[in-house]
Amino acid sequence: MNPKPSIVNLPVYKPGKPVEEVKKELGLNEVIKLASNENPYGSSPSAKAAIISELDNLSIYPDGSAAELTSALAAHIGVNSDNIIFGCGSDEIIALIARAFFLPGDETIMADQTFSVYKSNADIEGAVTIEVPLTAGTHDLEAMLAKVTDRTKVIWVCNPNNPTGTIVSADALTTFLDSVPNQVMVVLDEAYSEYVTDLTYSDGIKLLERYPNLVVLRTFSKIYGLAALRIGYGVARPEIIKLINQVREPFNTSRVAQAGALAALGDQDYVQECRRLNAAGILQLQAEFKRLALEFFPAHGNFIMVDVRKSALDVFEALLRKGVIVRAGHRLYPTYIRVTVGSAEQNQAFVEALEQILTEQGVRA
């Protein structure tokens, strides 16, 4: 059997190591996972109650259009229902965009260190990826614009960027969007937008009326704490949503996910509390990194990328043996680890383990 040539050498996405796997491998009783940018405080109590209630309906197919959730979300973000499409995580929306718009040989532009799912889906469809170097860990929008050709179909902007955590300002983003040709789609991935406190940050959804070629991605996996349910969404002009819907599977989000997301959306007090705790956690970690004389990128999501000044993979393995899971292996940042902002106690445990490792390995006196 002959597969599509474009997938033969495609790298498989590697998620953060599961807690139970690390416990079993290393014989540990306690493990802290700070690798996958999950909400350390979990989901809203109202979301949990809605999920439990929905268990009585497991024999019934979900609403393929997620009508009730779509209506509630539309009211919350200030758009119409036909501006929204739901997916099995925002990852699926990325895959659906690639499926709907890429032909072999089309070009797509993205940063050289960003969310890897953009490139993998472009590769699957036979599109040509143009990677533009980050500048100080931030998207270089001018350089990305300079790479646009008549073959360019989609430009991806992750804001905040994963893994660096940096943002592009509202002014920089609108200047960029003003110059992108109308026939080129710009996908603005705002998976971590609810965590951002910087006043220069833009709300991509408010830009949709001005830019007909813009698609905004968001998710319930991060601040809403529903990563296990896999539910995210895209927001765009109705004509774009219609095209993406044409390649969507009919029941791509479950009843449980829809119920949990609907209840989570209704508990904005919980969201704001998670936002506050995350901001405090960023300050806590930044203070400790400064004390340890470690450089880091500005953090605007719920994670920080920090330079440990030696092989990040070695530090990752050493932290693993101490029961702390982080993320390493970033192609262009071999001495950087990405750590999720945990609870105050988790952050402190991570810092203590990291400091001990760096001292043992001679990185700090």
Side-chain angles (χ1 to χ4, degrees):
M1 292 182 288
N2 294 318
K4 293 169 67 171
S6 59
I7 73 159
V8 172
N9 297 311
L10 196 68
V12 177
Y13 181 81
K14 295 182 179 179
K17 290 180 74 70
V19 168
E20 294 306 318
E21 179 182 328
V22 174
K23 286 182 177 180
K24 183 177 180 180
E25 281 183 4
L26 301 177
L28 299 171
N29 294 321
E30 296 295 330
V31 173
I32 299 170
K33 185 184 178 188
L34 300 175
S36 300
N37 302 342
E38 296 148 331
N39 186 337
Y41 308 104
S43 58
S44 159
S46 60
K48 294 176 185 177
I51 290 164
I52 291 170
S53 177
E54 196 59 37
L55 296 180
D56 290 334
N57 297 317
L58 293 185
S59 62
I60 304 171
Y61 280 108
D63 173 8
S65 66
E68 186 178 6
L69 175 58
T70 300
S71 178
L73 178 63
H76 177 67
I77 62 178
V79 300
N80 296 322
S81 291
D82 59 1
N83 292 116
I84 296 171
I85 182 171
F86 277 95
C88 181
S90 54
D91 297 32
E92 187 189 20
I93 309 299
I94 295 167
L96 293 177
I97 290 170
R99 184 188 298 175
F101 290 95
F102 286 138
L103 291 171
D106 285 342
E107 292 181 354
T108 183
I109 299 170
M110 64 193 70
D112 64 347
Q113 188 75 74
T114 191
F115 190 37
S116 63
V117 173
Y118 311 145
K119 185 177 186 306
S120 62
N121 278 284
D123 288 346
I124 289 168
E125 303 301 332
V128 177
T129 296
I130 310 299
E131 294 181 291
V132 178
L134 296 170
T135 299
T138 304
H139 283 72
D140 187 339
L141 297 180
E142 288 187 11
M144 294 175 79
L145 187 63
K147 294 296 183 178
V148 173
T149 72
D150 58 3
R151 294 186 298 277
T152 305
K153 273 284 185 70
V154 180
I155 304 174
W156 308 85
V157 179
C158 191
N159 198 35
N161 186 45
N162 178 12
T164 57
T166 57
I167 60 171
V168 294
S169 69
D171 288 345
L173 183 60
T174 53
T175 298
F176 170 73
L177 290 170
D178 284 339
S179 301
V180 174
N182 288 337
Q183 73 274 14
V184 176
M185 178 185 292
V186 176
V187 179
L188 183 62
D189 188 345
E190 295 186 338
Y192 301 94
S193 63
E194 292 92 350
Y195 283 114
V196 181
T197 59
D198 191 299
L199 296 179
T200 69
Y201 183 71
S202 63
D203 179 344
I205 290 171
K206 292 180 179 178
L207 300 175
L208 289 170
E209 186 173 349
R210 181 173 169 184
Y211 301 104
N213 56 335
L214 181 64
V215 179
V216 178
L217 305 182
R218 291 190 181 174
T219 184
F220 283 90
S221 294
K222 302 307 177 182
I223 205 166
Y224 287 99
L226 297 177
L229 298 187
R230 310 306 303 126
I231 186 159
Y233 58 96
V235 191
R237 292 287 183 93
E239 55 270 27
I240 294 178
I241 295 298
K242 181 178 183 294
L243 291 169
I244 300 172
N245 253 321
Q246 287 178 300
V247 298
R248 179 180 64 85
E249 299 299 328
F251 301 112
N252 63 327
T253 61
S254 70
R255 294 185 66 97
V256 174
Q258 291 179 31
L262 181 62
L265 188 66
D267 192 353
Q268 289 299 311
D269 287 344
Y270 185 82
V271 172
Q272 291 305 312
E273 179 63 6
C274 290
R275 187 170 184 257
R276 183 189 68 80
L277 291 168
N278 182 75
I282 288 175
L283 292 177
Q284 178 189 9
L285 288 173
Q286 287 176 336
E288 293 289 356
F289 293 153
K290 289 176 182 176
R291 180 179 64 82
L292 297 172
L294 299 177
E295 295 184 356
F296 52 89
F297 289 116
H300 295 282
N302 67 333
F303 55 93
I304 302 181
M305 199 168 176
V306 57
D307 186 357
V308 292
R309 292 188 287 157
K310 64 178 285 77
S311 167
L313 290 173
D314 289 348
V315 172
F316 165 81
E317 292 291 345
L319 283 168
L320 209 59
R321 290 191 291 273
K322 292 182 179 294
V324 180
I325 312 172
V326 296
R327 200 66 182 265
H330 300 100
R331 177 170 52 95
L332 300 178
Y333 298 91
T335 63
Y336 281 74
I337 60 173
R338 191 196 70 187
V339 56
T340 302
V341 178
S343 66
E345 295 76 18
Q346 290 173 330
N347 295 338
Q348 188 58 41
F350 156 70
V351 169
E352 289 175 0
L354 178 64
E355 183 172 11
Q356 184 177 354
I357 290 164
L358 295 181
T359 300
E360 290 171 351
Q361 298 185 2
V363 175
R364 67 185 305 269

